[in-house]
Amino acid sequence: MAETTGPHGIVQGRPFTVYDLKMMPDDGHRYELLDGALLVTPAPGYKHQKVVLRLGALLDAACPDELDVLPAPFAVRPSVTVELQPDLLVARDEDLTEAYLPTAPVLAVEVLSPSTKLHDLNSKKAFYERLGVPSYWVIDPLEPRLTVFELDDGEYRTLGKFTGPEAFDAASPFPVRVVPSELIGRRRFC
């Protein structure tokens, strides 16, 4: 298939690269790459952002000095055809560059929304597993529920599902207690 130039000057007929992401419009959407495929999602909503803010603060308060907690948009970019922006990530300070993380974080967190749910639970989970991310957390703000996956012999196993007021006492990547219902706060929107 011959390469052609499409909208925004992006070359078509080949896998997308991180260089193509620079050509994407500044339109409020999140643009990510997974094995050369472009993932486009709309801006997150109120509950999503509330969970990211509260969990980020909780993780940051418990985080040891050799690790950092960062919210999206901060890219995990292990190759030119992959750039994912987990809603939250925890990485070793020594692994971070000013612009992105070129290796696996120690924790990736995705907060589900209708437009991201399938990717978060399937393709992103499979990629994080393949990359060797030791811990992957998925939060459904509508329940609210936290599902925790831990890498075991190269494959994710479900460590547990914690709903509402059920506390999850994480040991990895560092000790922290997460209570899903406390991540939501006041429920202004249903």
Side-chain angles (χ1 to χ4, degrees), residues 123-144:
S123 54
K124 283 187 177 183
K125 180 180 167 232
F127 178 77
Y128 291 138
E129 181 180 70
R130 192 173 78 217
L131 186 61
V133 176
S135 297
Y136 180 50
W137 298 359
V138 178
I139 300 171
D140 185 341
L142 298 179
E143 295 288 332

Side-chain angles (χ1 to χ4, degrees), residues 50-185:
K50 188 59 127 176
V51 168
V52 169
L53 178 70
R54 287 184 173 210
L55 182 59
L58 183 69
L59 291 173
D60 194 55
C63 188
D65 290 342
E66 67 273 9
L67 299 174
D68 282 305
V69 177
L70 296 168
F74 195 84
V76 174
R77 187 191 295 172
S79 74
V80 297
T81 59
V82 174
E83 181 173 304
L84 294 178
Q85 297 178 14
D87 291 312
L88 287 165
L89 67 82
V90 176
R92 288 178 288 278
D93 186 58
E94 65 195 36
D95 291 342
L96 294 162
T97 72
E98 186 62 29
Y100 60 91
L101 177 63
T103 188
V106 294
L107 169 65
V109 179
E110 295 288 359
V111 179
L112 299 179
S113 60
S115 62
T116 67
K117 188 174 188 170
L118 284 176
H119 284 299
D120 292 344
L121 293 173
N122 294 292
S123 54
K124 283 187 177 183
K125 180 180 167 232
F127 178 77
Y128 291 138
E129 181 180 70
R130 192 173 78 217
L131 186 61
V133 176
S135 297
Y136 180 50
W137 298 359
V138 178
I139 300 171
D140 185 341
L142 298 179
E143 295 288 332
R145 181 178 60 231
L146 166 64
T147 304
V148 177
F149 301 97
E150 294 285 330
L151 209 55
D152 182 20
D153 239 359
E155 293 184 8
Y156 278 137
R157 66 177 171 81
T158 304
L159 189 65
K161 293 182 181 187
F162 307 87
T163 304
E166 291 179 85
F168 167 55
D169 290 307
S172 179
F174 48 82
V176 64
R177 174 172 272 211
V178 180
V179 179
S181 60
E182 292 176 4
L183 300 176
I184 301 299

